[in-house]
Amino acid sequence: MATAAAEGRLHIDPRFTRLIDELRTFEIVDDGKETVGNEALPKFGHPRGRHDDAVYSLAWAMFATREVTLNPYELQGVRCTDTGPARHMCALNGGAVIPMCARSCRSMRRAFDLFDQYAARSPRNNLPIESFIIDKLKNVGSHTIPR
């Protein structure tokens, strides 16, 4: 949930005042008492006299949709100018390869920029670029390929 919020993909309707109030007082404490291996686990909760039911309901709802990209990274169109056979293997054209022309391709450079934003959000975001393009990148513009 924190990652979605940090990426600007978590939008809460202002009418959900109880949820917003609980989010404002929700606590994450890293006291180092709980560990898995060498990694400390944080504790989540609410201050005395407050509630966190709506926060946990939201977290479980988001967890249930963890395999679904709710708001993908958007590419404003793909314009392929390659006339060679590599264009059919390109990840932006439905293939699974980053072709040699990627550095000179405006669309692929934008895809790399979006991938860098995704990877910078969390060290757990460790998909290879090809999987990122397939699973998280969405073309919302036109798609042109030379004949």
Side-chain angles (χ1 to χ4, degrees):
M1 185 165 49
T3 301
E7 292 175 347
R9 298 184 304 127
L10 179 63
H11 304 280
I12 300 171
D13 190 295
R15 293 177 290 181
F16 293 114
T17 55
R18 179 178 168 198
L19 173 61
I20 293 168
D21 182 50
E22 287 182 17
L23 283 168
R24 284 188 179 124
T25 60
F26 194 72
E27 295 178 339
I28 302 172
V29 180
D30 190 5
D31 62 6
K33 292 181 181 176
E34 292 287 327
T35 59
V36 172
N38 294 335
E39 187 175 338
L41 296 176
K43 289 182 182 178
F44 303 94
H46 57 86
R48 172 170 263 158
R50 305 305 303 237
H51 297 278
D52 58 10
D53 303 2
V55 173
Y56 278 107
S57 294
L58 175 61
W60 280 112
M62 291 179 71
F63 180 77
T65 61
R66 66 192 174 279
E67 300 300 322
V68 178
T69 302
L70 299 176
N71 188 8
Y73 290 85
E74 295 180 343
L75 195 60
Q76 303 297 319
V78 174
R79 182 171 182 263
C80 178
T81 58
D82 188 7
T83 57
R87 73 176 180 252
H88 297 294
M89 295 184 288
C90 177
L92 290 180
N93 293 332
V97 174
I98 303 300
M100 297 296 289
C101 60
R103 295 287 174 209
S104 63
C105 174
R106 181 179 52 103
S107 301
M108 189 60 81
R109 284 195 316 265
R110 180 63 184 142
F112 276 117
D113 290 344
L114 291 169
F115 176 72
D116 290 344
Q117 290 174 21
Y118 163 77
R121 294 286 180 206
S122 169
R124 295 183 190 141
N125 294 343
N126 56 3
L127 285 177
I129 181 79
E130 298 87 355
S131 297
F132 170 80
I133 289 171
I134 293 167
D135 296 336
K136 301 208 176 283
L137 192 65
K138 180 179 180 183
N139 179 19
V140 294
S142 64
H143 192 144
T144 59
I145 302 172
R147 293 185 184 230

